[in-house]
Amino acid sequence: MKVKDLPSFKQKALQWAATFEVCCILDSNDYTDRYGKFDLLLAVGTSAELNAHTAFKFDELKAFYEQHKTWMFGLLSYDLKNETEQLQSINIDQLNFPELFFFVPKYLIAIKGDDIEVLLGGTNVLEIIDQYVDTIDPTDTKNSPINIQSRISKADYIKTVEALQQHIIRGDIYEVNFCQEFFAEHAIIDPVGIYQRLCQISPTPFAGFFKIRDQYILSASPERYLCKRQNRLISQPIKGTAKRNTDPEIDLQIRTALRENAKEQAENVMIVDLVRNDLTKAALSGSVKVDELFGIYGFPQVYQMISTISCELNPNLHFIDAIKHTFPMGSMTGAPKVKAMQLIEKYELTKRGAYSGAFGYINPEADFDFNVIIRSIMYDAEKKYLSFQVGGAITYAADAYAEYEECLLKASAIIQTLSS
């Protein structure tokens, strides 16, 4: 079928989906992507679900897929690192998202261009969505004034970056992704409205709305963690950020300067090497390659430096193990990876949880696509706790004050969304 009015359909579909206890919407926001199969995926309701609790959560996921071998959508939280490595997470966590949660949707709708297809559930679901009316009075505000607080002061942030740079000088690490939390207590928001506003302010190719009962992830992610296309794995880490300008001539100069920035290139290539190493664990020998190095891509607030690394999946390896061997993504850890994660646990003040994890889908042919949960709002409606985290790569050449300003830049779309 054809979609006559895609914006209207998307709005109704999201409002309808959010009435279910569990749903996941993946939206490319009209960005073209050579690896993307769909412009929009709408997974709603559950016919089966997995909330893994054992010490072998990836094995649980493998068994869940083998049992159903159909479409499934899910969340991989950052703290799954404790399963893949000898690590721990002891920092405070006010959100407590599941570490690994997947579900087989009752309804699944896919849109590509102006073509719409019901992949799971009866086709009458399109009529249900078309006739759906939001019964909440639009004049009745569903958002309370939000008091956003920072978990770390600017002065302490500077001191921490300098302490991490001492580890670099000693040779413990080359680079580490250091993050900070912004949060609001007693926050009452309309998750659907906030997500729609976030996508208006900052449309990105890996945006998504994920609801697990009272917990929400409202994501404007620009980054792909990992996807599988037949026997090929593709990872596209982001490292390198520059603020855009409304003057086209100045904006072009900023783009060129980012492409030629030696510091940003150094940060990017360190993560490229890390991702190459991670993919080697899942790859057919000799198949790992860098398809694009230092690509510059534009988003509403920023330019990003993105590289693409790929490999052929080892035919003797289960595809879930490819995820396990590369998780969490190198762009959110640092290098060497394990030591960087140890220092992240030591110096960050809060548990990352869902932040810097991933969510996405696996299909019946064992292809998958997952984003990186950054530029995202995490919200617990029952606790009325709202959180978002931002970070950046700390290297020997990093300027602590500039890194702090980059964090604020990355947070700007969310702050604008919540203060509108």
mmCIF file of all heavy atoms in Angstrom, residues 365-393:
data_model
loop_
_atom_site.group_PDB
_atom_site.id
_atom_site.type_symbol
_atom_site.label_atom_id
_atom_site.label_comp_id
_atom_site.label_asym_id
_atom_site.label_seq_id
_atom_site.Cartn_x
_atom_site.Cartn_y
_atom_site.Cartn_z
ATOM 1 N N GLU A 365 15.790 -13.517 8.788
ATOM 2 C CA GLU A 365 16.963 -13.998 8.040
ATOM 3 C C GLU A 365 18.254 -13.805 8.821
ATOM 4 O O GLU A 365 19.349 -13.978 8.262
ATOM 5 C CB GLU A 365 17.055 -13.284 6.691
ATOM 6 C CG GLU A 365 15.957 -13.649 5.701
ATOM 7 C CD GLU A 365 14.616 -13.014 6.044
ATOM 8 O OE1 GLU A 365 14.613 -11.820 6.437
ATOM 9 O OE2 GLU A 365 13.589 -13.710 5.956
ATOM 10 N N ALA A 366 18.156 -13.392 10.088
ATOM 11 C CA ALA A 366 19.308 -13.164 10.966
ATOM 12 C C ALA A 366 20.111 -11.931 10.568
ATOM 13 O O ALA A 366 21.272 -11.794 10.940
ATOM 14 C CB ALA A 366 20.213 -14.400 11.049
ATOM 15 N N ASP A 367 19.515 -11.024 9.799
ATOM 16 C CA ASP A 367 20.096 -9.695 9.625
ATOM 17 C C ASP A 367 19.662 -8.833 10.804
ATOM 18 O O ASP A 367 18.608 -9.085 11.424
ATOM 19 C CB ASP A 367 19.622 -9.062 8.320
ATOM 20 C CG ASP A 367 20.433 -9.530 7.127
ATOM 21 O OD1 ASP A 367 21.330 -10.370 7.316
ATOM 22 O OD2 ASP A 367 20.157 -9.067 6.009
ATOM 23 N N PHE A 368 20.463 -7.831 11.121
ATOM 24 C CA PHE A 368 20.099 -6.953 12.239
ATOM 25 C C PHE A 368 20.657 -5.556 12.016
ATOM 26 O O PHE A 368 21.511 -5.332 11.147
ATOM 27 C CB PHE A 368 20.583 -7.527 13.577
ATOM 28 C CG PHE A 368 22.080 -7.734 13.675
ATOM 29 C CD1 PHE A 368 22.945 -6.666 13.899
ATOM 30 C CD2 PHE A 368 22.633 -9.008 13.593
ATOM 31 C CE1 PHE A 368 24.313 -6.849 14.011
ATOM 32 C CE2 PHE A 368 24.008 -9.206 13.699
ATOM 33 C CZ PHE A 368 24.850 -8.125 13.908
ATOM 34 N N ASP A 369 20.168 -4.617 12.809
ATOM 35 C CA ASP A 369 20.663 -3.240 12.760
ATOM 36 C C ASP A 369 20.415 -2.612 14.134
ATOM 37 O O ASP A 369 19.283 -2.633 14.632
ATOM 38 C CB ASP A 369 19.937 -2.436 11.679
ATOM 39 C CG ASP A 369 20.760 -1.253 11.168
ATOM 40 O OD1 ASP A 369 21.821 -0.964 11.764
ATOM 41 O OD2 ASP A 369 20.343 -0.609 10.180
ATOM 42 N N PHE A 370 21.482 -2.075 14.736
ATOM 43 C CA PHE A 370 21.391 -1.458 16.065
ATOM 44 C C PHE A 370 22.045 -0.079 16.053
ATOM 45 O O PHE A 370 23.108 0.110 15.443
ATOM 46 C CB PHE A 370 22.085 -2.335 17.114
ATOM 47 C CG PHE A 370 21.350 -3.605 17.433
ATOM 48 C CD1 PHE A 370 21.609 -4.772 16.723
ATOM 49 C CD2 PHE A 370 20.378 -3.635 18.420
ATOM 50 C CE1 PHE A 370 20.933 -5.951 16.996
ATOM 51 C CE2 PHE A 370 19.682 -4.806 18.701
ATOM 52 C CZ PHE A 370 19.965 -5.961 17.995
ATOM 53 N N ASN A 371 21.423 0.843 16.749
ATOM 54 C CA ASN A 371 21.996 2.184 16.898
ATOM 55 C C ASN A 371 22.894 2.231 18.135
ATOM 56 O O ASN A 371 23.084 1.239 18.835
ATOM 57 C CB ASN A 371 20.891 3.240 16.975
ATOM 58 C CG ASN A 371 20.085 3.180 18.283
ATOM 59 O OD1 ASN A 371 20.348 2.376 19.173
ATOM 60 N ND2 ASN A 371 19.094 4.036 18.402
ATOM 61 N N VAL A 372 23.450 3.408 18.389
ATOM 62 C CA VAL A 372 24.147 3.699 19.646
ATOM 63 C C VAL A 372 23.266 4.658 20.424
ATOM 64 O O VAL A 372 22.843 5.690 19.889
ATOM 65 C CB VAL A 372 25.533 4.333 19.397
ATOM 66 C CG1 VAL A 372 26.214 4.656 20.720
ATOM 67 C CG2 VAL A 372 26.404 3.414 18.560
ATOM 68 N N ILE A 373 22.965 4.341 21.663
ATOM 69 C CA ILE A 373 22.056 5.187 22.448
ATOM 70 C C ILE A 373 22.827 6.390 22.982
ATOM 71 O O ILE A 373 23.376 6.380 24.092
ATOM 72 C CB ILE A 373 21.374 4.401 23.579
ATOM 73 C CG1 ILE A 373 20.631 3.195 22.992
ATOM 74 C CG2 ILE A 373 20.396 5.306 24.337
ATOM 75 C CD1 ILE A 373 20.000 2.295 24.031
ATOM 76 N N ILE A 374 22.907 7.420 22.133
ATOM 77 C CA ILE A 374 23.449 8.729 22.506
ATOM 78 C C ILE A 374 22.437 9.781 22.076
ATOM 79 O O ILE A 374 21.476 9.471 21.368
ATOM 80 C CB ILE A 374 24.821 9.005 21.847
ATOM 81 C CG1 ILE A 374 24.739 8.815 20.326
ATOM 82 C CG2 ILE A 374 25.892 8.108 22.445
ATOM 83 C CD1 ILE A 374 26.017 9.190 19.584
ATOM 84 N N ARG A 375 22.632 11.038 22.522
ATOM 85 C CA ARG A 375 21.680 12.129 22.236
ATOM 86 C C ARG A 375 20.258 11.650 22.545
ATOM 87 O O ARG A 375 19.330 11.856 21.766
ATOM 88 C CB ARG A 375 21.777 12.596 20.786
ATOM 89 C CG ARG A 375 23.190 12.645 20.200
ATOM 90 C CD ARG A 375 24.063 13.745 20.738
ATOM 91 N NE ARG A 375 25.466 13.467 20.422
ATOM 92 C CZ ARG A 375 26.058 13.759 19.272
ATOM 93 N NH1 ARG A 375 25.378 14.359 18.315
ATOM 94 N NH2 ARG A 375 27.344 13.484 19.083
ATOM 95 N N SER A 376 20.104 11.002 23.692
ATOM 96 C CA SER A 376 18.853 10.319 24.029
ATOM 97 C C SER A 376 18.407 10.668 25.443
ATOM 98 O O SER A 376 19.228 10.823 26.347
ATOM 99 C CB SER A 376 19.025 8.792 23.923
ATOM 100 O OG SER A 376 19.440 8.419 22.625
ATOM 101 N N ILE A 377 17.093 10.763 25.607
ATOM 102 C CA ILE A 377 16.484 11.002 26.911
ATOM 103 C C ILE A 377 16.007 9.666 27.465
ATOM 104 O O ILE A 377 15.302 8.916 26.788
ATOM 105 C CB ILE A 377 15.289 11.965 26.799
ATOM 106 C CG1 ILE A 377 15.737 13.328 26.274
ATOM 107 C CG2 ILE A 377 14.581 12.114 28.148
ATOM 108 C CD1 ILE A 377 14.586 14.232 25.866
ATOM 109 N N MET A 378 16.398 9.368 28.700
ATOM 110 C CA MET A 378 15.889 8.196 29.411
ATOM 111 C C MET A 378 14.901 8.685 30.477
ATOM 112 O O MET A 378 15.209 9.631 31.203
ATOM 113 C CB MET A 378 17.030 7.423 30.071
ATOM 114 C CG MET A 378 17.519 6.232 29.289
ATOM 115 S SD MET A 378 18.217 6.606 27.679
ATOM 116 C CE MET A 378 19.751 7.379 28.089
ATOM 117 N N TYR A 379 13.752 8.033 30.560
ATOM 118 C CA TYR A 379 12.709 8.521 31.463
ATOM 119 C C TYR A 379 11.974 7.363 32.106
ATOM 120 O O TYR A 379 11.601 6.397 31.436
ATOM 121 C CB TYR A 379 11.722 9.397 30.683
ATOM 122 C CG TYR A 379 10.572 9.946 31.503
ATOM 123 C CD1 TYR A 379 10.806 10.780 32.600
ATOM 124 C CD2 TYR A 379 9.255 9.643 31.177
ATOM 125 C CE1 TYR A 379 9.746 11.286 33.347
ATOM 126 C CE2 TYR A 379 8.192 10.151 31.902
ATOM 127 C CZ TYR A 379 8.445 10.973 33.005
ATOM 128 O OH TYR A 379 7.392 11.481 33.743
ATOM 129 N N ASP A 380 11.772 7.457 33.424
ATOM 130 C CA ASP A 380 10.960 6.507 34.170
ATOM 131 C C ASP A 380 9.716 7.252 34.660
ATOM 132 O O ASP A 380 9.803 8.127 35.523
ATOM 133 C CB ASP A 380 11.743 5.932 35.356
ATOM 134 C CG ASP A 380 11.012 4.772 36.026
ATOM 135 O OD1 ASP A 380 9.842 4.957 36.405
ATOM 136 O OD2 ASP A 380 11.608 3.690 36.173
ATOM 137 N N ALA A 381 8.570 6.925 34.064
ATOM 138 C CA ALA A 381 7.343 7.647 34.363
ATOM 139 C C ALA A 381 6.859 7.415 35.786
ATOM 140 O O ALA A 381 6.249 8.294 36.402
ATOM 141 C CB ALA A 381 6.249 7.251 33.366
ATOM 142 N N GLU A 382 7.123 6.214 36.327
ATOM 143 C CA GLU A 382 6.692 5.925 37.698
ATOM 144 C C GLU A 382 7.537 6.695 38.706
ATOM 145 O O GLU A 382 7.011 7.313 39.634
ATOM 146 C CB GLU A 382 6.771 4.422 37.975
ATOM 147 C CG GLU A 382 6.275 4.054 39.369
ATOM 148 C CD GLU A 382 6.336 2.561 39.627
ATOM 149 O OE1 GLU A 382 6.830 1.806 38.771
ATOM 150 O OE2 GLU A 382 5.886 2.149 40.712
ATOM 151 N N LYS A 383 8.846 6.687 38.508
ATOM 152 C CA LYS A 383 9.752 7.404 39.422
ATOM 153 C C LYS A 383 9.816 8.897 39.127
ATOM 154 O O LYS A 383 10.347 9.668 39.930
ATOM 155 C CB LYS A 383 11.156 6.815 39.323
ATOM 156 C CG LYS A 383 11.262 5.367 39.746
ATOM 157 C CD LYS A 383 12.694 4.865 39.556
ATOM 158 C CE LYS A 383 12.826 3.399 39.921
ATOM 159 N NZ LYS A 383 14.207 2.889 39.644
ATOM 160 N N LYS A 384 9.306 9.277 37.944
ATOM 161 C CA LYS A 384 9.375 10.682 37.494
ATOM 162 C C LYS A 384 10.831 11.173 37.437
ATOM 163 O O LYS A 384 11.134 12.313 37.777
ATOM 164 C CB LYS A 384 8.517 11.599 38.374
ATOM 165 C CG LYS A 384 7.030 11.252 38.365
ATOM 166 C CD LYS A 384 6.226 12.183 39.246
ATOM 167 C CE LYS A 384 4.733 11.895 39.137
ATOM 168 N NZ LYS A 384 4.385 10.516 39.529
ATOM 169 N N TYR A 385 11.682 10.275 36.999
ATOM 170 C CA TYR A 385 13.122 10.598 36.901
ATOM 171 C C TYR A 385 13.511 10.642 35.430
ATOM 172 O O TYR A 385 13.238 9.699 34.675
ATOM 173 C CB TYR A 385 13.955 9.552 37.629
ATOM 174 C CG TYR A 385 15.429 9.883 37.716
ATOM 175 C CD1 TYR A 385 15.916 10.696 38.743
ATOM 176 C CD2 TYR A 385 16.330 9.396 36.773
ATOM 177 C CE1 TYR A 385 17.274 11.009 38.817
ATOM 178 C CE2 TYR A 385 17.687 9.700 36.845
ATOM 179 C CZ TYR A 385 18.148 10.508 37.867
ATOM 180 O OH TYR A 385 19.488 10.812 37.941
ATOM 181 N N LEU A 386 14.149 11.731 35.039
ATOM 182 C CA LEU A 386 14.571 11.945 33.657
ATOM 183 C C LEU A 386 16.087 12.113 33.629
ATOM 184 O O LEU A 386 16.656 12.786 34.491
ATOM 185 C CB LEU A 386 13.871 13.175 33.086
ATOM 186 C CG LEU A 386 14.134 13.559 31.626
ATOM 187 C CD1 LEU A 386 12.889 14.212 31.032
ATOM 188 C CD2 LEU A 386 15.322 14.512 31.490
ATOM 189 N N SER A 387 16.724 11.514 32.633
ATOM 190 C CA SER A 387 18.185 11.546 32.576
ATOM 191 C C SER A 387 18.667 11.569 31.132
ATOM 192 O O SER A 387 18.049 10.955 30.258
ATOM 193 C CB SER A 387 18.753 10.310 33.289
ATOM 194 O OG SER A 387 20.147 10.177 33.071
ATOM 195 N N PHE A 388 19.733 12.301 30.890
ATOM 196 C CA PHE A 388 20.462 12.155 29.632
ATOM 197 C C PHE A 388 21.937 12.382 29.908
ATOM 198 O O PHE A 388 22.306 13.145 30.791
ATOM 199 C CB PHE A 388 19.943 13.097 28.534
ATOM 200 C CG PHE A 388 20.018 14.568 28.860
ATOM 201 C CD1 PHE A 388 21.089 15.342 28.442
ATOM 202 C CD2 PHE A 388 18.993 15.189 29.570
ATOM 203 C CE1 PHE A 388 21.153 16.698 28.727
ATOM 204 C CE2 PHE A 388 19.042 16.549 29.860
ATOM 205 C CZ PHE A 388 20.133 17.304 29.442
ATOM 206 N N GLN A 389 22.754 11.662 29.165
ATOM 207 C CA GLN A 389 24.198 11.755 29.365
ATOM 208 C C GLN A 389 24.875 12.185 28.073
ATOM 209 O O GLN A 389 24.376 11.928 26.970
ATOM 210 C CB GLN A 389 24.768 10.405 29.826
ATOM 211 C CG GLN A 389 24.220 9.957 31.180
ATOM 212 C CD GLN A 389 25.001 8.783 31.756
ATOM 213 O OE1 GLN A 389 26.231 8.778 31.771
ATOM 214 N NE2 GLN A 389 24.289 7.782 32.253
ATOM 215 N N VAL A 390 25.991 12.858 28.219
ATOM 216 C CA VAL A 390 26.798 13.273 27.069
ATOM 217 C C VAL A 390 28.263 13.076 27.426
ATOM 218 O O VAL A 390 28.646 13.088 28.598
ATOM 219 C CB VAL A 390 26.557 14.748 26.674
ATOM 220 C CG1 VAL A 390 25.188 14.928 26.051
ATOM 221 C CG2 VAL A 390 26.711 15.665 27.881
ATOM 222 N N GLY A 391 29.077 12.884 26.413
ATOM 223 C CA GLY A 391 30.495 12.667 26.666
ATOM 224 C C GLY A 391 31.323 12.934 25.439
ATOM 225 O O GLY A 391 30.815 13.366 24.398
ATOM 226 N N GLY A 392 32.605 12.665 25.566
ATOM 227 C CA GLY A 392 33.516 12.876 24.455
ATOM 228 C C GLY A 392 34.810 12.128 24.685
ATOM 229 O O GLY A 392 35.094 11.651 25.785
ATOM 230 N N ALA A 393 35.598 12.044 23.613
ATOM 231 C CA ALA A 393 36.857 11.315 23.665
ATOM 232 C C ALA A 393 37.936 12.168 24.318
ATOM 233 O O ALA A 393 38.196 13.296 23.891
ATOM 234 C CB ALA A 393 37.282 10.921 22.260
#
